[in-house]
Amino acid sequence: MIRVLLAEDQGMMRGALALLLGMEEDIEVVAQVGRGDEIVTAALTSRPDVALLDIELPGLSGLDAAVELRDEVPDCRVLILTTFARPGYLRRAMEAGAAGFLVKDGPVEELAEAVRAVLRGETVVDPALAAAALSAGPNPLTPRERDVLNAAVDGATIADIAAKVHLSESTVRNYLSAAIGKTGTRNRMEAVRAARRQGWL
């Protein structure tokens, strides 16, 4: 049996996925969580072969959880399953060590086959998303620029952002200016939206 951990914050979707995967003769869902910060603990307890992770989870993103899983439970293969077909997310997932990346609107048979494929050591990526990621190019934002943009999400002041990321206000302004330039936008809120649209944040 292939042991699967399922991380999805929407209860109905999580239940439906667990039910559908459970109908496969060779797949058993051994853990279900609704938060990203519960993934590693659940994996250490249930020892899944494959972790099926949503990206946008409360507590910790699926991408960040994938990095932790790679370090804490290296035998577990990660398959990202998301609504958001953003090229930047695919790149970040691969950098985090994910073995696969699928969007949620595909058939369940495709998902079950992807679970089997990643366990065999294969990499499974939605073809349309792979093409989009190749044409989009790499994320131009540095880790610090991403930190500053993330801190600016709720319209925070320069002082608020500086306190949150432990930088001086002038350094924050410099990072914001660089991020605005790289995203081709006019202000920090537009930069946040553009970076999110690309999956860079």
Side-chain angles (χ1 to χ4, degrees), residues 18-188:
L19 190 63
L20 290 166
L21 286 171
M23 292 169 76
E24 300 290 323
E25 290 182 2
D26 58 341
I27 296 175
E28 179 187 6
V29 177
V30 293
Q32 298 181 47
V33 297
R35 296 178 55 87
D37 50 11
E38 296 173 346
I39 292 171
V40 170
T41 303
L44 287 168
T45 304
S46 61
R47 291 290 168 182
D49 301 305
V50 177
L52 195 55
L53 311 181
D54 190 7
I55 289 180
E56 300 205 349
L57 295 166
L60 188 71
S61 79
L63 297 174
D64 292 329
V67 174
E68 289 191 4
L69 276 176
R70 182 182 62 197
D71 297 337
E72 300 287 331
V73 194
D75 293 338
C76 179
R77 304 279 285 164
V78 172
L79 182 57
I80 300 288
L81 182 65
T82 183
T83 308
F84 305 101
R86 297 175 181 158
Y89 278 171
L90 172 58
R91 282 185 179 276
R92 288 171 58 200
M94 296 298 117
E95 288 166 6
F101 194 108
L102 295 175
V103 287
K104 287 180 184 172
D105 58 3
V108 72
E109 296 82 14
E110 187 178 293
L111 177 59
E113 187 46 48
V115 167
R116 296 180 189 105
V118 298
L119 193 59
R120 291 192 300 264
E122 297 172 28
T123 300
V124 181
V125 177
D126 181 90
L129 189 57
L134 286 171
S135 63
N139 182 348
L141 301 173
T142 67
R144 268 311 201 181
E145 288 162 359
R146 290 200 302 267
D147 290 345
V148 168
L149 276 185
N150 272 320
V153 164
D154 298 321
T157 66
I158 296 291
D160 292 338
I161 297 168
K164 193 170 185 181
V165 296
H166 310 292
L167 294 171
S168 71
E169 292 183 24
S170 62
T171 303
V172 165
R173 284 191 187 89
N174 289 340
Y175 281 131
L176 285 173
S177 177
I180 289 165
K182 288 177 180 180
T183 54
T185 53
R186 294 172 298 178
N187 58 54
R188 63 185 175 201

